[in-house]
Amino acid sequence: MTDTTVPTRPGVPTSLRRVDDARRRFGAFAETYLDAMWDGDPPADAFVADVPRLGHGRAMRLLRTACREGIDAVPDAPDSLRALFAQLDDVPGWLDAERIDHDSRHVARYTRQSGIVLGAASLVSGYANSAASRPLEMTGRYVENAGARTIEVASWLAAVSGPGGLDRFGEGFELTVRVRVIHALVRADLLRRPAWDLPAWGLPISQAYLAYTLVEFALIPMRGMRAIGAPFRPHERAASYARWRYLGHLLGIRADLLPVDEADQERLEEIYLLTRPPVDEFCRELVASINREFLVAEIEGLLPPALRGSVGRGAPAVVHGLERLFLGDEISDELAIPRTRVTGALRVVGPVLGAVHAALDRVPATLAPRAALGRRYQRVQEERLRRTWGVEHDLVDASPAGGRPHPARGDA
């Protein structure tokens, strides 16, 4: 099966809950969202359908050349690749990359906090959905490789969020396009597997769940940063939503699902949370894996020695406290995240730190030096993480062979 837009919808995926409530609350948008459960990414899916004929290695080389030099530099490009880049190179009139960069120029001052929020809020929030997280289970990409995948995501985010991160021939553009094709490769692979329950889960990496990833990387992080005392200023928040609107366009998200601003992201989050399939044991194992294999070790290294305690008390309690702060008790209970008094302490400390940082932010002369320190910390931290976890590649399509095969490498 290579056509990953289902022509005859089987109905609402059976794993979804409270669908009638969603229709009452969201009206026409509910139908758009539910319909998107059956849509993939036609341009990227068409290119992936050509990969067996081209050969995986050659197809990915053609893709990289088109990213780095333009589609005209690929004289033997298949029609599917030309169609994909016709869409990618059609820059929306609403994009103002220069303003986004200008308004984001000091956000790196909160680099330390953003790393915590990425792991304990952005990534974990997606695991409270047994259908959306199923591709990770079936490709073995997280339980077996929590550290590597977290570094891959962080590296992509750093590339797209820094100065020039949206430039057509920049690293961020190429990585985003490759993420899009990785999604299509995984989608095609899972649709060939009898274990993929299409009526229950909808299309793998559907438009509906793909759109929600923008919430994971914009709305949820900004809310999490505010909770731990690192609030962004209004123009910085607006720039983040504008950045992720364009990245969503590059990722192939449908225009009628693509959130424009904070209100759109909030609406998308509300319908997602209302209808999400229930947590299952794999969701809980995903969270346990990222905690055990990555977050606890990282927090252990950040805590002052006096606060570390034993491995069983200090860092795990902080990680669980952060997750409960970010996710709330309902989802945390479903994910079996232990309760800890740290959550209450964070709720007290966060506003105090927020007031201190907001006062600093009102002194313009502090912004550039703090941002420079944040960028330096980011570089040092990435180098350390890569050494610690033995990661030399950028994305999974470039990861070394060995272990469980993965469709993005062409060895599945």
Side-chain angles (χ1 to χ4, degrees):
M1 183 175 184
T2 57
D3 180 0
T4 54
T5 298
V6 179
T8 303
R9 274 43 174 166
V12 176
T14 58
S15 63
L16 295 185
R17 299 180 292 177
R18 301 183 286 259
V19 172
D20 290 342
D21 290 346
R23 284 175 164 147
R24 282 192 295 270
R25 284 179 56 182
F26 296 97
F29 180 68
E31 300 308 322
T32 297
Y33 180 79
L34 296 170
D35 182 68
M37 293 284 174
W38 304 108
D39 280 349
D41 178 358
D45 293 333
F47 172 62
V48 163
D50 280 337
V51 166
R53 175 179 61 81
L54 295 168
H56 185 91
R58 179 172 174 239
M60 298 307 285
R61 287 192 297 272
L62 296 178
L63 180 74
R64 290 186 186 220
T65 299
C67 287
R68 296 171 184 178
E69 302 176 38
I71 190 64
D72 291 338
V74 190
D76 54 346
D79 290 343
S80 59
L81 187 63
R82 293 190 178 278
L84 175 61
F85 275 84
Q87 187 260 325
L88 289 166
D89 288 328
D90 184 14
V91 179
W94 42 258
L95 175 65
D96 187 346
E98 185 175 339
R99 179 172 182 178
I100 292 171
D101 274 353
H102 178 270
D103 288 352
S104 305
R105 66 194 184 282
H106 296 137
V107 297
R109 69 192 184 278
Y110 291 136
T111 295
R112 290 175 184 266
Q113 295 91 334
S114 66
I116 294 171
V117 172
L118 169 64
S122 296
L123 296 179
V124 174
S125 70
Y127 302 155
N129 181 326
S130 55
S133 61
R134 192 69 59 180
L136 289 173
E137 175 188 14
M138 295 179 69
T139 60
R141 191 57 190 151
Y142 223 115
V143 172
E144 298 174 9
N145 298 279
R149 188 175 184 275
T150 304
I151 293 168
E152 291 164 2
V153 173
S155 298
W156 170 53
L157 294 178
V160 300
S161 300
L166 303 181
D167 290 354
R168 166 60 181 86
F169 293 102
E171 180 188 14
F173 179 92
E174 178 184 328
L175 290 178
T176 303
V177 174
R178 284 168 57 201
V179 167
R180 180 175 180 175
V181 171
I182 289 168
H183 288 161
L185 287 163
V186 170
R187 187 182 301 115
D189 177 73
L190 294 181
L191 283 172
R192 288 191 289 266
R193 301 193 195 186
W196 184 263
D197 190 341
L198 189 68
W201 303 330
L203 210 65
I205 315 180
S206 69
Q207 283 281 324
Y209 291 152
L210 183 60
Y212 179 73
T213 62
L214 304 189
V215 174
E216 293 176 335
F217 293 127
L219 176 65
I220 289 173
M222 273 183 287
R223 192 163 58 211
M225 296 287 279
R226 185 170 61 248
I228 60 173
F232 288 119
R233 296 174 294 170
H235 66 276
E236 292 170 334
R237 295 196 299 272
S240 178
Y241 292 120
R243 182 183 302 276
W244 282 99
R245 183 186 183 189
Y246 181 56
L247 290 171
H249 168 78
L250 294 181
L251 288 168
I253 297 172
R254 282 171 25 179
D256 57 353
L257 273 178
L258 187 61
V260 172
D261 53 19
E262 184 173 76
D264 279 356
Q265 290 218 0
E266 288 175 339
R267 179 178 65 166
L268 188 56
E269 181 186 42
E270 288 171 12
I271 194 169
Y272 171 91
L273 292 176
L274 181 65
T275 60
R276 67 179 172 87
V279 163
D280 64 7
E281 193 55 39
F282 177 71
C283 297
R284 288 184 278 271
E285 178 54 27
L286 271 178
V287 174
S289 176
I290 190 176
N291 288 346
R292 179 181 63 247
E293 303 296 336
F294 189 78
L295 288 177
V296 168
E298 290 305 309
I299 291 293
E300 185 81 20
L302 292 175
L303 289 176
L307 297 180
R308 290 177 188 172
S310 69
V311 174
R313 291 201 313 271
V318 173
V319 170
H320 299 149
L322 286 165
E323 289 170 342
R324 281 194 168 269
L325 178 70
F326 297 145
L327 303 177
D329 285 335
E330 179 184 351
I331 291 177
S332 296
D333 287 343
E334 291 183 47
L335 289 170
I337 296 170
R339 290 177 179 265
T340 169
R341 288 178 292 180
V342 173
T343 306
L346 290 168
R347 290 196 175 107
V348 173
V349 172
V352 175
L353 289 176
V356 171
H357 285 138
L360 279 174
D361 288 349
R362 287 193 289 271
V363 182
T366 72
L367 294 171
R370 290 160 62 204
L373 286 173
R375 286 190 289 271
R376 179 183 176 188
Y377 174 82
Q378 184 178 58
R379 291 192 296 271
V380 172
Q381 186 77 342
E382 180 172 354
E383 291 171 3
R384 182 190 66 79
L385 288 172
R386 288 184 175 278
R387 285 195 307 271
T388 300
W389 297 94
V391 175
E392 298 181 358
H393 60 278
D394 47 19
L395 299 176
V396 63
D397 61 329
S399 62
R404 189 165 174 173
H406 194 282
R409 289 196 303 261
D411 58 2

